[in-house]
Amino acid sequence: MHPIFHSESKPFVIAGPCSVESRKQLHDCVTSLETAAPVDMVRCGIWKPRTRPGGFEGLGEPALSWVDELHERHPSLRFCCEVARPEHVELCLNHHIDAVWIGARTSGNPFSVGELAQALRGSSLAVMVKNPIAADVSLWQGAIERVLQAGVSDVAAIHRGFHLYHDGVPYRNKPLWEVPVELRRRMPDLPLLCDPSHMGGHRRYLEALMLTAADLGYDGYMIEVHPHPAEALTDREQQIDATGLRHLLERLALHRQEGDADIRLNILRQQIDAIDERLIQAMGDRMEISRKIAQMKQACHMAAYQPQRWEALMRERIAAARAAGLDAGFMRTLYETIHAESIRIQEDIMNNKQ
């Protein structure tokens, strides 16, 4: 374990706001953390690369001066932020930043990582490398190796999940736990942290993701904490307050000490709840399409019930169910119920009842 990422007998915890929004917000966040949930390092988003332009992209260098103020008041506190350009590294070195992380949008680009590694050469900054957006363990490993080859002694990996287009998973970024497990097999001495905030995309998933990471032997966590999450300018749904963090860490400690069966059962139930939410949303989307189909059938003087289409659909769905290991009878009953509701909606529209 590298020195800066080592925490005696407990996970290494990094927490703080997704973005630094104001001097007061940052000071309030640090004060609440010190009171409710002391952490090993404070994260603070100085620069915020957004997927699309137009959103809040951080305050940049002025926010670093507020970090300096906090360091003077709390000299034992350590701070970290994301860097994407060599000039970001230079600014961090001129202020009280102890560690930086290379984000998912940057770690997948060897040219960008190479430039950052060169800027980090000879510095005292610790570096964390988030997994690339793509689920490519070699690309992630390569980014880490570039940082190590620059002579950085304190390096860690952060698992924040992978983006898959319409993957049917409730999380913002799919965990794909096998990828960080393989990274650990290749680099067994590298500290591995979990970022459940970006992985889940909503605070409701934090506990389940953190407990899974604990079971897999992760060394720590990076969690987004805001003094008033509902007012956050970025990623408000995935942020929690310091009291919420304390409760999470208490549950995690219980899990680590006792391996509580109720906690494990709760993880599975949370996963079922999340899947049910997606099922309900998908069903609503399906019935909305049925309404549009009814309007087209009405305009073309077609009947709501189309036997040939129904029989072909059933054959396809039952074949798909068997391939997925599902019972054909269950799938037939399920689709007969869905089809009956779809026909009811269509007939109501075609008879001008909706």
Side-chain angles (χ1 to χ4, degrees):
M1 178 73 71
H2 294 258
I4 198 169
F5 298 112
H6 180 63
S7 183
E8 292 290 344
S9 71
K10 69 180 184 66
F12 188 89
V13 178
I14 303 171
C18 174
S19 304
V20 175
E21 302 163 358
S22 68
R23 179 179 180 274
K24 183 179 186 305
Q25 175 245 17
L26 181 60
H27 280 248
D28 287 351
C29 186
V30 169
T31 299
S32 65
L33 284 171
E34 283 205 314
T35 302
V39 298
D40 298 289
M41 188 175 289
V42 177
R43 61 156 287 152
C44 42
I46 305 297
W47 301 277
K48 289 301 300 179
R50 311 305 296 165
T51 301
R52 299 178 63 187
F56 179 70
E57 296 188 336
L59 297 174
E61 186 176 3
L64 288 171
S65 63
W66 303 331
V67 173
D68 293 341
E69 291 178 9
L70 285 166
H71 185 269
E72 289 181 9
R73 294 185 183 182
H74 313 277
S76 62
L77 276 182
R78 292 180 289 188
F79 295 87
C80 64
C81 71
E82 180 175 0
V83 292
R85 299 173 178 170
E87 52 264 38
H88 293 167
V89 175
E90 183 177 351
L91 286 168
C92 288
L93 290 169
N94 291 332
H95 293 271
H96 287 288
I97 296 293
D98 301 279
V100 298
W101 73 84
I102 299 174
R105 295 174 178 83
T106 307
S107 62
N109 186 330
F111 293 104
S112 296
V113 175
E115 291 175 354
L116 288 172
Q118 190 60 35
L120 288 161
R121 187 179 297 277
S123 78
S124 60
L125 289 171
V127 180
M128 297 166 280
V129 182
K130 289 197 174 186
N131 64 258
I133 293 174
D136 185 337
V137 67
S138 294
L139 191 61
W140 192 6
Q141 179 182 4
I144 294 166
E145 288 173 340
R146 283 181 168 83
V147 173
L148 289 170
Q149 288 175 4
V152 179
S153 58
D154 292 322
V155 182
I158 301 179
H159 174 214
R160 50 87 76 190
F162 305 90
H163 177 71
L164 300 177
Y165 183 69
H166 288 316
D167 58 9
V169 173
Y171 302 134
R172 176 180 176 183
N173 293 291
K174 193 169 184 178
L176 295 180
W177 299 103
E178 62 271 23
V179 178
V181 168
E182 172 60 17
L183 180 72
R184 168 150 282 182
R185 187 192 68 79
R186 297 184 185 188
M187 310 182 81
D189 296 327
L190 185 77
L192 178 60
L193 312 180
C194 177
D195 176 356
S197 302
H198 283 93
M199 197 182 299
H202 197 287
R203 61 185 66 90
R204 71 168 67 97
Y205 303 128
L206 293 176
E207 181 179 331
L209 292 167
M210 290 173 69
L211 294 177
T212 300
D215 287 340
L216 292 172
Y218 281 51
D219 299 296
Y221 306 90
M222 176 183 278
I223 305 164
E224 292 189 342
V225 172
H226 192 287
H228 307 287
E231 301 172 8
L233 299 181
T234 55
D235 293 342
R236 64 184 58 170
E237 290 188 342
Q238 68 192 38
Q239 299 195 65
I240 58 175
D241 60 20
T243 300
L245 176 62
R246 186 187 74 228
H247 291 157
L248 277 176
L249 295 178
E250 288 172 350
R251 294 283 285 173
L252 184 65
L254 177 64
H255 178 73
R256 290 166 64 92
Q257 292 170 7
E258 301 178 2
D260 195 324
D262 288 339
I263 295 178
R264 295 175 183 270
L265 184 60
N266 187 49
I267 293 174
L268 296 175
R269 285 171 173 164
Q270 286 183 32
Q271 292 172 352
I272 287 176
D273 290 344
I275 292 170
D276 283 348
E277 288 181 17
R278 294 294 293 255
L279 284 173
I280 292 168
Q281 181 62 50
M283 200 61 64
D285 293 342
R286 194 183 197 281
M287 294 307 167
E288 183 60 33
I289 293 173
S290 290
R291 293 183 177 91
K292 295 178 181 178
I293 289 174
Q295 293 169 356
M296 295 184 66
K297 286 180 177 178
Q298 186 179 43
C300 297
H301 305 289
M302 297 170 63
Y305 177 47
Q306 300 287 315
Q308 291 182 339
R309 159 67 179 162
W310 167 242
E311 291 170 5
L313 181 145
M314 283 303 301
R315 287 194 297 270
E316 292 173 2
R317 299 300 185 267
I318 288 175
R322 285 174 173 156
L326 296 172
D327 180 74
F330 161 73
M331 188 59 63
R332 178 176 291 279
T333 300
L334 175 63
Y335 268 91
E336 285 175 348
T337 303
I338 294 172
H339 184 251
E341 177 64 9
S342 178
I343 293 299
R344 184 194 67 77
I345 290 172
Q346 291 184 39
E347 288 180 341
D348 283 353
I349 291 173
M350 295 168 74
N351 293 327
N352 297 317
K353 293 182 181 179
Q354 287 193 15

